Amino acid sequence: MKITVTNTLQSADTIVLPLFEGQESISSKLLSEQDATTITAWIAAKKVSGKAKEVFFLPTPLSASQSVIVMGFGKKEDCNNDTVRQGAGNVQKTLKTQKIATVLFDADLTVCPQCPAAFVEGVLLGNYSHDLKTDDRSEAIELSEIAIFAETATSDVQAAVEIAEICANGANFARDLSNAPGNKMTPTILAEEAVKLAKETGIKSTILGEKEMEELKMGSLLAVSRGSEEEAKLIVLEYTHPEATKTIAMVGKGLTFDAGGISLKPGAGMWEMIYDMCGGAAVLGGMHAIARIKPKVNVIAVVPSSENMPDGKAVKPGDVVTASNGKTIEVLNTDAEGRLILADALVYTVNTYKPDRMVDLATLTGACIVALGHLLGAVMSKSDELVADLTKAGDETHERLWRMPLNDEFKEFLKGNTADLANITGPVGAGTVTAGCFLSGFVGDTEWAHLDIAGT
Ligand code: BES
Ligand code: ZN
Ligand code: ZN
């Protein structure tokens, strides 16, 4: 997709014009006098109102561009990234049904450089698709160019649009990794994708296999992988900036398929566990963007990746394993495997990189979906500042988070019969919180937050 910011007039298949609620006409340099009159008439006839996320498609076959899309921006005082992004998603649907290949957006009608950036982000996210169907699509027209016309503040718009494009591409990269089925996204393939990303962007990659994990005594991660024919991998990417004074670490659960192991999941819906590597995908998607934005901070991405399968060699309920920090863990349910692979990954990250801040992302518990559904993720941390920063970032990007507690009292429920820890609790409820508490035993004093993204 070609994305450009220009201060000179150019042609496109359609022009997109923002309209605020209450506006009675549109005056745009991109619009012919005749089309402007037509739109004003439609506004007067109340067929188009500028309400947030509204899309009004007007064919203009006699003009240079063959159509105009009037995009509702809502009330000027309420305008935010989210309305524009979601409105742009609606515009994208129209572009698709109307078979439009090139778009010209009038940024001079918006309120700030963030608006055209959010437009680009929304169209790129909306335009994403993933399937392996082989039907004939020769008739389909792909969107090939988004041009932003900004006669004023051209360089500010350019800078914001560049970041939006990078972020949307990072998100779509994460979606590609996530949507790939389990047979096409094994730990080895996920590791190859990470290495490819590192080579593309010039960052460092290190992939640990099971032999290296054994040397590091990662008995918890290795236990999960034992029932699988696929080798587990610990994927590590390092982005460094010469002027950085801080290091942050992101750790993502990369279970490429979670059958539950010997504590086998029910058959209905089991296929959805191809998405049990979404935490890992999010971390790699983040790195995809960070390596291109190049912020002045060091960022480490760590993805423990494995399958969780039943097999004669698989870890069994009741087995006791030893994690790389020396703690013994009673595996009472092999389906609570996310915390087992994360335990060794968190220890590794803390010991190797001593990050100033660490965040893990994991599709960790079904209980999180019971609590928050599919609209918000859970955030757990002892650091109010880190929770505040993550919640703010989530609000800005529509990746919303809701805080859950991490009281040490819950740790009582995780004591093992014969080991330091059990990987599940008795019937005490709070499944998302107790999972977070389990992880807290593997982060030392690091400022750390756990995000349960099972629902989102
Ligand atoms: N990957 C699942 C959690 C999950 C469930 C994610 C549904 C997305 C949708 C995780 O490994 C798991 O199976 N957790 C168990 C934990 C339980 C055994 C304590 C769960 O939530 O049932
Ligand atoms: Zn599981
Ligand atoms: Zn899982």
Side-chain angles (χ1 to χ4, degrees), residues 253 255 258 265 273 276 308 335-338 363-364:
K253 171 177 172 181
L255 242 294
D258 178 13
K265 286 184 180 295
M273 287 299 122
D276 212 18
N308 185 23
D335 198 11
E337 84 299 334
T363 49
L364 207 61

Side-chain angles (χ1 to χ4, degrees), residues 103-154:
V103 172
L104 183 60
F105 175 90
D106 192 340
D108 285 344
L109 303 187
T110 62
V111 284
C112 70
Q114 283 311 316
C115 289
F119 173 78
V120 168
E121 198 179 347
V123 173
L124 291 179
L125 292 174
N127 203 45
Y128 174 84
S129 71
H130 178 99
D131 69 52
L132 299 165
K133 291 180 183 167
T134 59
D135 49 353
D136 179 16
R137 289 181 209 177
S138 49
E139 303 278 288
I141 304 241
E142 296 287 326
L143 183 63
S144 59
E145 182 174 357
I146 307 173
I148 305 291
F149 174 72
E151 203 170 40
T152 54
T154 318

Side-chain angles (χ1 to χ4, degrees), residues 253-299:
K253 171 177 172 181
L255 242 294
T256 57
F257 189 70
D258 178 13
I262 297 295
S263 313
L264 192 64
K265 286 184 180 295
M270 191 203 269
W271 72 269
E272 288 186 14
M273 287 299 122
I274 65 168
Y275 300 116
D276 212 18
M277 36 63 73
C278 282
V283 163
L284 296 179
M287 229 39 191
H288 191 279
I290 287 163
R292 289 169 168 87
I293 294 174
K294 303 193 193 307
K296 275 189 198 158
V297 60
N298 298 329
V299 187

